Amino acid sequence: MVTAGVVIALMMVAICAVVLYQSRVDATERATDGLRNIAAMAEHDIERNFELYALSLQAAVDGVNDHEVMAASGRLRNIALFDRAATASYLGSMLVLDANGNIVFDAAGEVPRVANFADREYFRVHQQRSNVGLYVGHPYASRLRNGSLSIPLSRRISHTDGSFAGVVLLAIQLDYFRQLFSTLSLGNHGAMVLMQQDGTLIMRRPYDEKVIGRNVSNASTFKEHRQKVEGSFTDVSVIDGVRRLYYFKNLRNLPLTIIVAEAYSDIYAAWWQRTVTIAGVMLALAAAFIGLSFAFGLQLRCRMRAESKLAMLAQTDGLTGLHNRRTLGEILNQEWRRARRTRSMFSLLFVDIDWFKVYNDTYGHQAGDATLAAVAKCIGDNIRRPLDHAARYGGEEFIVVLPDTSPDGAIAMAENIRVAIADLGIEHSGSEFGRVTASIGAATWTPEQDSDVSAVVRVADQALYTAKATGRNKVELSMVQVG
């Protein structure tokens, strides 16, 4: 019962563990879907704005190459070149640079500011390569806006012969990306990164100005997202050491990658709280179930022991511990039928303590009970075969059932019992022998005889009477007669 209870409780705990594990998997999948949606939202916003900026750059290139635009007044020329781009949110500067890197047209006003950008990375790229198209450069600190961090978008201006004529520049303030990232929910320890495909960081949430422009191409997170267009992976950030679930997406039309990450501590926060509660309740229930199984098993065992004890008490004599008269009847019928079926000999001993009434009158009933118990033990100790049985017939009389026993075997058994009783040395002043003794009558039935078991009992009783009549403390054998 206890084993079954433990097994059932373990099965309950195992089922609970499987359900909780599946709940954990579901939490991971929900987090992945959420990160995918956030990356898609950021991608849509960035690509939409960059598309508008790219159109403004192309319009400026076309305007520079249009003689009518160039021949117009400064105000009209700026309107045609910059298409009011300077008024866009988070736009830093929009400039037209000549082949030497000097500002020739400035969206900020009709009179261009004085500065040279020939040393900038984007300028050198366009100067050296004619087929770059829209170029997204590395972050830099603006010289025109007191070091404000920006990212350049630029296009090449070429002469009619294809030679380098300058660059159209549009600077996007990094605060645009910072503000965009801040509107997206990523938990308390989430992170979001926009980087160029060479590993240069453009923006990161949590924001840290020190990491802007940093190259992380050697990081394992960078190696993961370079293998396919989009996907998810798990890693520990090289920046803050937090283990996160990452989802990356390489933008389709820009050389940029968005990486959105949520810390596992945030993903599993609700799951852990739910797991602790459910697991605690389940373990308590399992422990209670095992405890109840143990208690029930203990009660069942006690009941079985009580029933066994009652059954034994119903079958045995309370004073001597031998079979009682009721059980003796069952044994006699069972062994008699077996003897008749197998055609084997059947012997019976009738044991009676000599002058026992006198002993009780002399020494008292308590001493008499002790003597009965001692004699019964002698009888029981001399019965060694599993099929042999001894029972208290009544008062000071005992019967020994000896299946498959010959007359000689019955005599030998009876003599052993008689001697053992005498050797107890129990004082009996009312006996001519000075000690407690017993007379024994033996009877044997053979297969050739046609009798019932009651006849065997009567013959053994007659043999006992003969033993008492001829001197006591002796064994008498009688054969069952055919009748």
Side-chain angles (χ1 to χ4, degrees):
M1 183 66 67
V2 174
T3 301
V6 171
V7 170
I8 293 173
L10 290 177
M11 291 176 64
M12 293 166 57
V13 172
I15 293 172
C16 179
V18 171
V19 172
L20 290 176
Y21 174 77
Q22 187 59 50
S23 176
R24 181 185 176 94
V25 173
D26 293 342
T28 304
E29 292 178 351
R30 286 194 300 271
T32 302
D33 291 340
L35 294 176
R36 181 186 296 110
N37 292 334
I38 291 174
M41 292 171 59
E43 176 192 26
H44 176 73
D45 195 284
I46 292 172
E47 287 195 336
R48 182 192 62 189
N49 284 301
F50 272 54
E51 183 180 2
L52 295 175
Y53 295 147
L55 291 174
S56 295
L57 286 174
Q58 187 60 52
V61 172
D62 294 340
V64 170
N65 292 324
D66 190 325
H67 297 293
E68 293 183 4
V69 173
M70 291 296 98
S73 64
R75 186 177 67 83
L76 293 176
R77 184 182 60 241
N78 274 18
I79 292 175
L81 286 177
F82 302 119
D83 193 22
R84 302 186 183 276
T87 62
S89 300
Y90 300 105
L91 185 63
S93 300
M94 188 168 181
L95 308 170
V96 177
L97 308 178
D98 62 17
N100 296 317
N102 296 311
I103 301 176
V104 291
F105 302 115
D106 188 348
E110 295 181 27
V111 179
R113 288 168 285 186
V114 178
N116 184 276
F117 300 103
D119 60 332
R120 292 295 194 190
E121 169 227 6
Y122 59 84
F123 187 87
R124 294 196 304 269
V125 168
H126 287 298
Q127 188 179 44
Q128 296 168 8
R129 297 160 54 191
S130 61
N131 59 346
V132 176
L134 178 67
Y135 181 73
V136 181
H138 293 162
Y140 64 89
S142 175
R143 296 171 184 171
L144 301 177
R145 288 175 289 104
N146 299 320
S148 175
L149 294 177
S150 302
I151 182 174
L153 270 65
S154 58
R155 281 188 177 276
R156 174 187 169 109
I157 303 174
S158 301
H159 293 295
T160 55
D161 60 358
S163 60
F164 179 64
V167 172
V168 177
L169 168 69
L170 191 152
I172 303 173
Q173 298 180 36
L174 294 190
D175 284 344
Y176 158 66
F177 303 104
R178 184 176 179 183
Q179 189 276 336
L180 174 62
F181 287 6
S182 66
T183 62
L184 303 174
S185 178
L186 291 172
N188 296 329
H189 304 91
M192 190 169 182
V193 171
L194 178 67
M195 68 168 58
Q196 294 178 308
Q197 292 187 347
D198 64 354
T200 301
L201 289 178
I202 297 175
M203 180 54 62
R204 182 182 185 274
R205 173 187 170 187
Y207 180 73
D208 184 358
E209 187 174 325
K210 296 178 182 178
V211 303
I212 303 301
R214 178 177 173 181
N215 190 285
V216 294
S217 58
N218 291 327
S220 57
T221 53
F222 178 81
K223 297 175 182 177
E224 286 283 349
H225 70 72
R226 295 306 304 149
Q227 298 177 4
K228 47 188 176 180
V229 175
E230 61 181 314
S232 61
F233 60 93
T234 299
D235 207 340
V236 177
S237 172
V238 296
I239 295 177
D240 56 18
V242 176
R243 184 171 180 267
R244 295 183 173 93
L245 172 65
Y246 290 86
Y247 187 87
F248 65 88
K249 187 173 182 62
N250 292 307
L251 273 62
R252 293 168 295 178
N253 302 316
L254 293 170
L256 301 175
T257 299
I258 296 174
I259 301 178
V260 187
E262 189 173 2
Y264 276 102
S265 58
D266 294 334
I267 295 173
Y268 297 137
W271 179 84
W272 271 114
Q273 184 176 5
R274 183 168 59 251
T275 296
V276 169
T277 301
I278 294 175
V281 172
M282 180 56 68
L283 289 176
L285 289 175
F289 191 83
I290 293 174
L292 290 174
S293 299
F294 182 81
F296 186 74
L298 186 62
Q299 289 296 323
L300 184 60
R301 179 179 294 178
C302 291
R303 180 177 177 178
M304 292 174 65
R305 286 177 177 174
E307 291 177 352
S308 177
K309 186 175 181 180
L310 288 174
M312 184 179 67
L313 290 174
Q315 295 176 350
T316 59
D317 177 68
L319 176 63
T320 63
L322 300 179
H323 293 301
N324 57 24
R325 187 163 182 172
R326 176 184 175 185
T327 308
L328 173 63
E330 296 174 356
I331 293 172
L332 284 172
N333 289 330
Q334 178 182 344
E335 295 300 331
W336 177 256
R337 288 195 300 270
R338 190 180 69 84
R340 293 290 296 265
R341 185 174 64 253
T342 61
R343 308 299 293 170
S344 58
M345 289 185 175
F346 180 85
S347 295
L348 200 69
L349 304 182
F350 221 128
V351 183
D352 183 82
I353 300 175
D354 296 328
W355 294 292
F356 186 71
K357 183 177 183 306
V358 177
Y359 184 89
N360 267 344
D361 293 340
T362 304
Y363 297 97
H365 289 285
Q366 187 172 0
D369 290 345
T371 298
L372 284 173
V375 170
K377 187 175 185 304
C378 277
I379 296 172
D381 291 344
N382 281 274
I383 297 175
R384 293 182 173 85
R385 296 189 311 173
L387 293 178
D388 295 342
H389 300 277
R392 185 182 180 188
Y393 190 71
E396 71 275 17
E397 295 178 326
F398 303 89
I399 285 182
V400 179
V401 181
L402 302 172
D404 198 17
T405 302
S406 64
D408 292 339
I411 289 295
M413 177 66 72
E415 190 62 30
N416 288 338
I417 293 173
R418 185 195 66 78
V419 172
I421 294 172
D423 288 345
L424 289 174
I426 299 174
E427 180 183 357
H428 188 354
S429 60
S431 170
E432 63 181 85
F433 304 104
R435 63 178 65 186
V436 171
T437 59
S439 299
I440 303 174
T444 299
W445 174 87
T446 57
E448 293 78 12
Q449 298 167 325
D450 185 14
S451 303
D452 57 24
V453 69
S454 61
V456 183
V457 175
R458 286 194 303 271
V459 171
D461 188 34
Q462 292 171 2
L464 173 63
Y465 179 80
T466 301
K468 285 181 172 291
T470 57
R472 290 186 171 84
N473 191 24
K474 60 189 299 186
V475 176
E476 286 290 333
L477 173 67
S478 293
M479 298 296 292
V480 179
Q481 302 297 320
V482 177

